[in-house]
Amino acid sequence: MGAVTYPNEKVVKFVDFNFVPVQINVSNKTLTDQFNVTWTPTIIVLDAGGNEVHREVGFLPPEEFIPMFMVAKGKWYFNHEQHSEAQGMFDEALRDYPNSIAAAEALYFMWVSRFKMTHDPKYLRQAYDALTVKFPNSEWTKRASPYRLIPA
Amino acid sequence: MFWQHLNATLSERRTIMALDICWLDDLAKAKEAAGQRKKPVLLDFFSPQ
């Protein structure tokens, strides 16, 4: 990450704009134990209270790192019930990085966020329908599969 | 003094400066900053090369 992804100019701007970045040496046993870190790189998104929002283990190149952490930032908004902002992040990830590994998760949370705003279950069914079309083999399509039972 | 030594233009300085994430090294301070700036913390566990 330090050789390829973190020096990337887009990554630098993205991280500085969206996060408070902190690096901890894996030799810090107190924190690795606290966060159950057993491998590097491990990157965790936390809220200000220290609650975990998202975790990634393993290398991500810039074109995967940015959409993955757009989704993470969206989930942070989602957890704060800032659904318009959350949907903005999910939409940006889908629009700018439609073939990234984070895209299916972005689509899943896009519709779930709409459900949370409205409590209308049709959005969960739309999550399943959209995922089935765009990402038929994704784990997120499987996670959305119960929603196929909701009437369209 | 660093910039004089490098003889970089303002534009070049901005480019060079942009190529570094401003990492903190203290999680408590990062969480405090996150609360103030209304941003999440990006916590990276790394192995020194």
Side-chain angles (χ1 to χ4, degrees):
Chain A
M1 298 296 290
V4 175
T5 301
Y6 291 148
N8 178 280
E9 190 172 354
K10 280 188 180 175
V11 171
V12 172
K13 289 177 179 170
F14 170 74
V15 168
D16 281 346
F17 187 77
N18 287 290
F19 295 95
V20 176
V22 57
Q23 266 189 326
I24 301 295
N25 192 312
V26 75
S27 65
N28 184 329
K29 193 167 179 344
T30 302
L31 288 179
T32 53
D33 284 353
Q34 180 182 335
F35 288 98
N36 195 24
V37 171
T38 55
W39 189 245
T40 61
T42 292
I43 308 164
I44 304 170
V45 173
L46 305 170
D47 66 20
N51 302 299
E52 185 168 329
V53 176
H54 186 95
R55 175 179 294 229
E56 290 297 323
V57 178
F59 172 76
L60 289 170
E63 67 275 16
E64 297 291 352
F65 179 93
I66 293 173
M68 188 62 79
F69 286 93
M70 282 178 176
V71 171
K73 180 77 180 279
K75 288 162 71 177
W76 177 80
Y77 281 128
F78 179 92
N79 290 353
H80 288 79
E81 300 192 352
Q82 294 177 257
H83 291 292
S84 295
E85 292 84 353
Q87 288 163 29
M89 293 304 297
F90 301 139
D91 185 54
E92 194 174 346
L94 281 164
R95 186 188 64 229
D96 294 349
Y97 300 90
N99 300 315
S100 68
I101 55 179
E105 186 175 1
L107 187 57
Y108 178 94
F109 276 103
M110 169 72 83
W111 290 107
V112 169
S113 178
R114 288 180 185 168
F115 168 72
K116 289 275 281 184
M117 274 182 88
T118 63
H119 304 289
D120 186 338
K122 77 178 181 190
Y123 290 119
L124 298 179
R125 173 59 191 259
Q126 288 183 13
Y128 173 74
D129 290 344
L131 283 159
T132 301
V133 170
K134 292 189 176 176
F135 307 104
N137 299 315
S138 162
E139 68 174 281
W140 293 97
T141 306
K142 291 177 184 151
R143 291 174 197 239
S145 62
Y147 307 150
R148 73 186 185 282
L149 302 174
I150 297 168
Chain B
M1 300 309 281
F2 169 74
W3 295 117
Q4 288 173 350
H5 175 71
L6 205 61
N7 196 26
T9 65
L10 183 59
S11 172
E12 288 168 335
R13 292 178 198 182
R14 284 185 178 138
T15 302
I16 292 164
M17 289 174 74
L19 294 180
D20 276 320
I21 295 171
C22 299
W23 296 102
L24 300 177
D25 60 2
D26 183 321
L27 181 57
K29 287 182 180 170
K31 288 197 293 186
E32 185 182 342
Q36 290 168 351
R37 296 184 213 163
K38 302 193 186 311
K39 291 181 180 181
V41 172
L42 187 78
L43 170 59
D44 176 40
F45 285 94
F46 74 103
S47 302
Q49 297 301 313

